[in-house]
Amino acid sequence: MGTLRSFVASYPEFLLAALSFLSLALLRLALRSRQLLVPVSWPVVGMLPFVFGNLGRLLDAAMDALRECGCTFMFRGPWLAGADFLVTCDPAVVHHCLAANFGNYDKGRGFAEMFEVVGDGLLVADAASWARQRLVVAAVFASPAFRTFVLSTMARQAERLVAFLDHAAGGVVELEDVFTRFSLDVSYASVFADDLGTLSFAAVAAGAPVPAFGEATRVASEAVLFRHVVPAWWWKLLRWLNVGIERRHAEAKAVLDDVVYREIEKRKKSQPLIAGGQGDGGDLLSMFMAWPRDPSMSDRERDQFLRDAVVGYMFAAKDLIVAALTWFSYMLCTHPHVEAAILAELKSLRPTATGGKGGQHAVFDADALRSAPYLHAAVLETLRLFPPAPFEEKEALGEDVLPDGTRVAKGTPIVFCIYAMGRIDGIWGDDCHEFRPERWLTGSGRVRHEPSHKFAVFNCGPRSCLGRNLGLSNLKIAAAAIIYNFQLELVEGQVVEPLNSVVLHTKNGLRVRVVRREAA
């Protein structure tokens, strides 16, 4: 009995010692793994030490591993955790899974759970639900009314961005924060035909908080990232307990729901619908509400469809604008010869709007920028090196054999590393790490087409992004307005590198000095 009491008394110390030993062992493995390009699957912990050893540079570590492994490898998680998944950046595999054998690979229920905030929208929907939604979204996006409305909205918001930067001229701004506010205004106006007013110089200078709707989108994005980096049981426990980031996520989702559903009800009462798919305006919500109703849908189901559609669009549009413009600006700051070439190209065009004192500020619309192939090439080159969504996820519905001979079991998650795909010399050549817009131009100066399974920034196959051309036009409008009117100078001493996230933001922001072009 005395021996038993002694063991019980010493049990906490024994447990502490065991945990300390395991922690030190894991740390040692992490340090050793950091020195290895190819992940090693250790007993019990699998390849987890590789992740811990490269937490600050996970995307680049994955790129190095993929290069060494021939563009595909199986990541092994801890024993019994069910955390194994296939990682690839092989264009042949991308084409096989996302196009040729598209029916065997779905988003999976786990993916939809992590992106709970967008409901059952097109971003996460599978099978029949996806097919129905894509039919409606494709028709809306192809509508001249919607395209005209979105592009005119971007041009108007670009004028406000120019005005904001003009106020800030001579000083330093955190550009990623500016683009975050700008993207919220653009996406909100495109959906609701209303101004959120986030990018106000007076409000920013006074430190005024982002409006509740904008703050809700930020919190929701953080929650999606959190769900990606912790075990599913952990965030589900927090959700059940309603604490921490999961509580803030639920509150943010409630704010989004409240705004969107109130707007839907307001439109029902005030906007007559016109047969043929046109309502009172070309904004996204009006276009969706004017679409012929599915008779099998109840009022509640239709409202849910409208809510999911507009929230999903806002998240996709916002993330593209923020990430792409931030990295595009950084590339121009570090490649002045590219900036000079774009500026020369823009000076050969006629601005479509002027403003500011004496009308010295200019903005170009999408039609004018059709004659700016070098600008287009520079945007594509930015997206190649810094894709806003650095990876894509799928799940195998059945057994399969990939083009490289890799066998895939049913239920295997597959991660397509889009970030790595743009930086592998076997795909893009020995200069793949260089920012060189010329690679996108033919000998005659036209923009070169690359297959989507090689340049998968806008996905590939049946799920290819419907808003690709519209998104590129929006980016060019904003980029041209900035380049033509201002010179951005990178503040010295800062480290600009990618954040490990579901959206490729910078880790520490992007601080630049804004100089008016005439004074540059």
Side-chain angles (χ1 to χ4, degrees), residues 446-496:
R446 294 180 178 273
V447 176
R448 185 189 308 277
H449 170 75
E450 292 288 358
S452 57
H453 59 269
K454 176 182 177 182
F455 180 64
V457 172
F458 294 97
N459 214 314
C460 170
R463 275 192 182 265
S464 292
C465 178
L466 292 168
R468 171 190 168 121
N469 292 332
L470 202 57
L472 288 172
S473 294
N474 282 341
L475 292 176
K476 290 190 292 182
I477 290 172
I482 295 170
I483 295 169
Y484 192 85
N485 295 292
F486 305 100
Q487 181 177 0
L488 305 179
E489 299 175 350
L490 198 62
V491 174
E492 295 181 1
Q494 62 179 317
V495 177
V496 182

Side-chain angles (χ1 to χ4, degrees), residues 180-257:
T180 297
R181 292 172 177 270
F182 172 68
S183 68
L184 279 170
D185 286 350
V186 170
S187 55
Y188 191 89
S190 298
V191 169
F192 299 120
D194 197 7
D195 289 322
L196 192 59
T198 304
L199 189 64
S200 161
F201 185 79
V204 175
V210 172
F213 188 90
E215 179 64 13
T217 63
R218 184 191 66 79
V219 172
S221 295
E222 290 181 354
V224 169
L225 171 60
F226 179 78
R227 291 182 175 188
H228 269 81
V229 299
V230 301
W233 65 265
W234 178 244
W235 67 257
K236 288 181 179 180
L237 176 62
L238 296 183
R239 182 177 64 179
W240 182 71
L241 295 173
N242 194 30
V243 296
I245 183 64
E246 286 298 321
R247 177 173 182 172
R248 296 196 298 276
H249 177 250
E251 293 169 348
K253 185 173 179 293
V255 171
L256 296 175
D257 289 350

Side-chain angles (χ1 to χ4, degrees), residues 53-98:
N54 293 282
L55 281 178
R57 55 178 301 274
L58 207 50
L59 288 171
D60 287 317
M63 174 190 66
D64 293 337
L66 286 164
R67 184 186 294 111
E68 294 296 317
C69 295
C71 292
T72 302
F73 71 90
M74 179 65 77
F75 180 89
R76 302 294 182 183
W79 289 359
L80 306 178
D84 294 358
F85 56 90
L86 190 74
V87 187
T88 185
C89 67
D90 185 342
V93 174
V94 171
H95 180 265
H96 176 82
C97 296
L98 303 186

Side-chain angles (χ1 to χ4, degrees), residues 271-280 286-287 289-293:
Q271 290 188 357
L273 301 183
I274 302 174
Q278 297 294 330
D280 280 354
S286 290
M287 298 296 293
M289 292 188 71
W291 187 259
R293 177 170 180 160

Side-chain angles (χ1 to χ4, degrees), residues 341-354 362-376 476 480 484:
I342 297 174
L343 182 60
E345 185 175 63
L346 293 176
K347 286 184 175 179
S348 69
L349 307 178
R350 183 185 297 276
T352 48
T354 57
V363 173
F364 300 84
D365 65 16
D367 290 335
L369 294 175
R370 292 180 188 275
S371 301
Y374 195 80
L375 170 63
H376 191 105
K476 290 190 292 182
Y484 192 85

